[in-house]
Amino acid sequence: MKKLFGIFIMLSLFTVIISACAVGGNTATGPNPVHMDSMSFKVLSITIKKGQVVTFINDEVTPHTVVNGTWDDSTQKPGVESGAPKTNIQVDGYGSGTVGPFNTSGTFKLFCTLHPGMKMTVVVK
Ligand SMILES: [Cu+2]
């Protein structure tokens, strides 16, 4: 039993080390995944169905803070559209987080407060 536990610990450590060494990728997943590199969302727009969430997956060590609104050049334009889920999540390095559910049809803007120009839209059908 002790030996089994030891093997379990070794495997767990191995998994953590492999995860930490992943460069430019994060194997985390979830509904409607949107990957992020150190400065941007990897897609500018995602289309989802009413009632669904978006999963933000950080492929790099740099954290992101995702909120409602957008960037106008280098000026933040925060704002929650009618029907948008109020959003303010921090996604740590190599972490992930969900936004939503989006329960209203429409186009909803999200941006990262830490990185000028880092913005995207969620289209809910
Ligand atoms: Cu960011």
Side-chain angles (χ1 to χ4, degrees):
M1 201 59 195
K2 224 174 177 179
K3 193 174 178 186
L4 263 182
F5 186 69
I7 291 170
F8 176 75
I9 293 295
M10 290 290 283
L11 278 176
S12 305
L13 276 176
F14 187 66
T15 307
V16 167
I17 289 164
I18 292 293
S19 309
C21 292
V23 173
N26 182 338
T27 54
T29 189
N32 304 305
V34 171
H35 285 258
M36 304 180 289
D37 60 23
S38 56
M39 298 282 279
S40 59
F41 297 108
K42 289 192 177 171
V43 294
L44 296 179
S45 175
I46 187 170
T47 301
I48 67 171
K49 291 187 179 131
K50 225 187 280 188
Q52 291 185 333
V53 300
V54 174
T55 308
F56 288 96
I57 299 170
N58 194 348
D59 289 344
E60 300 290 343
V61 72
T62 318
H64 299 286
T65 300
V66 181
V67 303
N68 302 90
T70 190
W71 284 100
D72 183 5
D73 288 326
S74 55
T75 305
Q76 294 188 7
K77 301 280 180 188
V80 186
E81 300 96 341
S82 168
K86 180 130 181 54
T87 300
N88 188 341
I89 61 162
Q90 162 136 1
V91 185
D92 292 328
Y94 302 111
S96 62
T98 58
V99 172
F102 289 82
N103 292 320
T104 307
S105 300
T107 300
F108 304 104
K109 296 186 168 92
L110 296 171
F111 75 107
C112 173
T113 58
L114 305 177
H115 299 114
M118 182 170 174
K119 59 186 182 179
M120 64 149 333
T121 57
V122 178
V123 180
V124 182
K125 298 267 186 193

